[in-house]
Amino acid sequence: MSDRDDEPTALNTAIAAQIYAARIRGAYSIETLAVLARVDPEAIVGLENGAPLIDAGVRGRVMDVLGLRSDGHSSPVRLTDLTLSDTNRQG
């Protein structure tokens, strides 16, 4: 694989900016968002850096937790209680 294949595309860069902004707005740490979305923290970092998409399910779960739709608009309904912290979820 060449370096060119690893460069973020315009779409990945736009989605990365939306995910990062939504995470900051919601005051979620990478670790908390990863727990809520059931993904590895490295996946969050990759998404926020515009890395090429490896698993559409990962991006979808992260965007769902953040209240983002795949078309880039905010979802009107948030179905997940995002007030739980990592320590509260661990017991």
Side-chain angles (χ1 to χ4, degrees):
M1 186 183 279
S2 71
D3 289 336
R4 183 179 175 111
D5 292 335
D6 294 336
E7 293 178 9
T9 64
L11 178 60
N12 287 345
T13 301
I15 291 171
Q18 292 172 356
I19 290 172
Y20 175 77
R23 182 175 67 80
I24 297 304
R25 259 193 322 272
Y28 302 116
S29 69
I30 289 173
E31 293 78 15
T32 298
L33 179 56
V35 168
L36 293 171
R38 299 176 326 275
V39 302
D40 290 327
E42 295 81 23
I44 306 294
V45 173
L47 287 169
E48 289 185 355
N49 288 330
L53 181 65
I54 296 171
D55 182 352
V58 167
R59 182 175 67 190
R61 287 194 304 274
V62 170
M63 292 179 79
D64 285 347
V65 168
L66 293 172
L68 300 173
R69 294 190 341 218
S70 60
D71 63 2
H73 295 93
S74 293
S75 175
V77 177
R78 295 174 77 168
L79 301 176
T80 306
D81 180 7
L82 302 177
T83 60
L84 298 174
S85 70
D86 289 342
T87 55
N88 289 342
R89 293 176 73 65
Q90 293 174 359

